[in-house]
Amino acid sequence: MNPVTILGIESSCDDTSASIVRNGLMLSNVVAGQEVHSLYGGVVPELASRAHQQNIIPVVEAAIKKAGIDKSEISAVAFTRGPGLLGSLLVGTSFAKGFAQALGIPIIDVNHLQAHVLAHFISQGNENETMPEFPFLCLLVSGGNSQIIVVHSHFDMEIIGQTIDDAAGEAFDKCAKVMGLPYPGGPHIDRLAKQGNADAFKFNKPQIPEYNYSFSGLKTSFLYLLRDKEKENADFVKENLNDLCASIQKTVVEILMSKLRKAANDLNIKNVAVAGGVSANSALRQAFHDYAIRYEWNVFIPPVSFTTDNAAMIAITGYFKYLKSDFCAIDEVPYARVSQKL
Ligand code: KG4
């Protein structure tokens, strides 16, 4: 059988990315970020779409070149169909359709969240790679989502818990913003927390039933703490920046892990994975290692390059769909939101 070579395209938010995956092995993964948003303290959808238009052709060209293949070897084009920013998604979707039409090959639509989970199955050709066995639990934490998912198979995923308001990444970014840190604030909190005392400040944890999360109350109590302390000392944030970062990070990680532990316990699942942008967080990664020892979990933590938005995860999902001949019609359109079932 000829090798199955998938071109993956990701453009759901503010990263333009293209990747080549051949028979499950990643040959290239090129990501172009968009600096323009840092001026505004968040992603500006209109600017994101324009930047995707500028980036998409050079990024795809670079991915093909880096993979050392010719475009005639591509079997299908997989693209992020949603959820995400519609204008951004339209750029990737339209490009994928045009490119595939020109080559006479099929297109494969990919759910971005499902792809974050399936990033665990990208092979980089390393000898000691381990991939999760089904069923496993996946904590999917990003700027827009905080979910606990039971993964029964590649395409049978059940969301058993999710945030009822803000996502974990949003909580990091909003707390960072009120401390005057640049956007996105999550990585800055992570960096500064390394020098801080995580027990310096205490925050109430939300009491939400089942496996759901809530982060908006935490964000508000963080805001109130800063407001009250700054009344007494205008330099409060400056003088306590590292401790504030360490304390808020510890609280977010504890909230995430306690629900995950409850789910693992209730469902008696020992294979536990993490995915999404926030899984780059060093304290969250450490918590996974600690829980692996304490509760005898088999934990799966992706390389940092596969935690944030990337096209390799789109290409691997496309690869699995290709094997099922699960292709998409040319007139399918992107979607901004996603339903309960992945
Ligand atoms: O999955 P992702 O790249 O994209 C979207 O959700 O669109 O996630 C981005 C989120 C942001 O909120 C960012 O602050 C957060 O992931 N993030 C982190 C870290 N790296 C990225 N949060 C905490 N610690 C980090 N090291």
Side-chain angles (χ1 to χ4, degrees), residues 12-15 112 116 140-145 168-173 183-191 249 275-282 307-309 313:
S12 64
C13 190
D14 60 340
D15 290 305
H112 181 84
H116 266 302
L140 176 55
V141 269
S142 68
N145 296 278
E170 222 172 331
F172 275 126
D173 295 342
Y183 176 86
H188 295 283
I189 290 188
D190 192 353
R191 178 176 49 82
Q249 175 173 275
V278 179
S279 62
N281 183 265
S282 57
T307 61
T308 44
D309 290 346
M313 68 183 195

Side-chain angles (χ1 to χ4, degrees), residues 282-300:
S282 57
L284 184 60
R285 288 175 164 249
Q286 187 55 50
F288 263 73
H289 289 303
D290 295 345
Y291 276 50
I293 296 169
R294 207 178 317 157
Y295 303 116
E296 296 180 335
W297 285 3
N298 305 312
V299 296
F300 301 90

Side-chain angles (χ1 to χ4, degrees), residues 63 145 183 204 262 268 308 317:
N145 296 278
Y183 176 86
N204 288 336
K262 177 174 161 51
N268 194 23
T308 44
T317 307

Side-chain angles (χ1 to χ4, degrees), residues 88-341:
S88 292
L89 289 165
L90 270 169
V91 177
T93 303
S94 311
F95 183 89
K97 288 177 180 179
F99 192 88
Q101 284 278 76
L103 290 178
I105 55 175
I107 50 170
I108 301 171
D109 61 323
V110 170
N111 176 315
H112 181 84
L113 300 178
Q114 200 169 47
H116 266 302
V117 178
L118 295 181
H120 284 281
F121 296 92
I122 302 167
S123 169
Q124 294 190 82
N126 302 326
E127 248 175 43
N128 44 6
E129 279 173 347
T130 52
M131 293 176 187
E133 278 176 27
F134 303 114
F136 67 92
L137 278 183
C138 187
L139 174 69
L140 176 55
V141 269
S142 68
N145 296 278
S146 300
Q147 300 177 331
I148 298 178
I149 302 167
V150 185
V151 187
H152 300 286
S153 71
H154 288 130
F155 296 105
D156 183 5
M157 302 186 190
E158 187 188 349
I159 301 166
I160 57 166
Q162 59 191 325
T163 180
I164 58 165
D165 42 55
D166 291 351
E170 222 172 331
F172 275 126
D173 295 342
K174 286 179 177 169
C175 291
K177 191 171 180 181
V178 294
M179 290 188 287
L181 298 172
Y183 176 86
H188 295 283
I189 290 188
D190 192 353
R191 178 176 49 82
L192 295 164
K194 292 194 170 75
Q195 266 81 51
N197 171 10
D199 297 312
F201 301 100
K202 297 275 175 227
F203 302 99
N204 288 336
K205 300 207 181 96
Q207 304 296 322
I208 306 292
E210 294 303 319
Y211 310 122
N212 288 331
Y213 291 116
S214 164
F215 290 101
S216 73
L218 179 65
K219 176 193 69 189
T220 310
S221 61
F222 189 79
L223 192 71
Y224 287 169
L225 171 85
L226 260 55
R227 193 191 58 186
D228 295 347
K229 295 283 187 185
E230 280 180 325
K231 274 186 201 151
E232 297 159 17
N233 171 11
D235 290 332
F236 172 76
V237 171
K238 211 165 105 192
E239 289 168 10
N240 294 277
L241 188 59
N242 295 346
D243 289 350
L244 285 165
C245 290
S247 301
I248 195 70
Q249 175 173 275
K250 182 180 177 184
T251 311
V252 171
V253 170
E254 280 178 357
I255 294 170
L256 290 172
M257 293 308 287
S258 73
K259 286 295 173 87
L260 190 60
R261 158 123 172 83
K262 177 174 161 51
N265 220 18
D266 292 352
L267 303 174
N268 194 23
I269 296 179
K270 294 271 184 201
N271 295 329
V272 189
V274 62
V278 179
S279 62
N281 183 265
S282 57
L284 184 60
R285 288 175 164 249
Q286 187 55 50
F288 263 73
H289 289 303
D290 295 345
Y291 276 50
I293 296 169
R294 207 178 317 157
Y295 303 116
E296 296 180 335
W297 285 3
N298 305 312
V299 296
F300 301 90
I301 306 170
V304 171
S305 56
F306 297 155
T307 61
T308 44
D309 290 346
N310 66 87
M313 68 183 195
I314 306 304
I316 193 76
T317 307
Y319 170 66
F320 291 127
K321 289 187 95 168
Y322 186 97
L323 297 182
K324 299 196 306 164
S325 301
D326 187 354
F327 304 122
C328 160
I330 196 79
D331 57 353
E332 296 288 9
V333 292
Y335 50 83
R337 298 190 174 278
V338 75
S339 66
Q340 185 74 9
K341 188 99 179 145

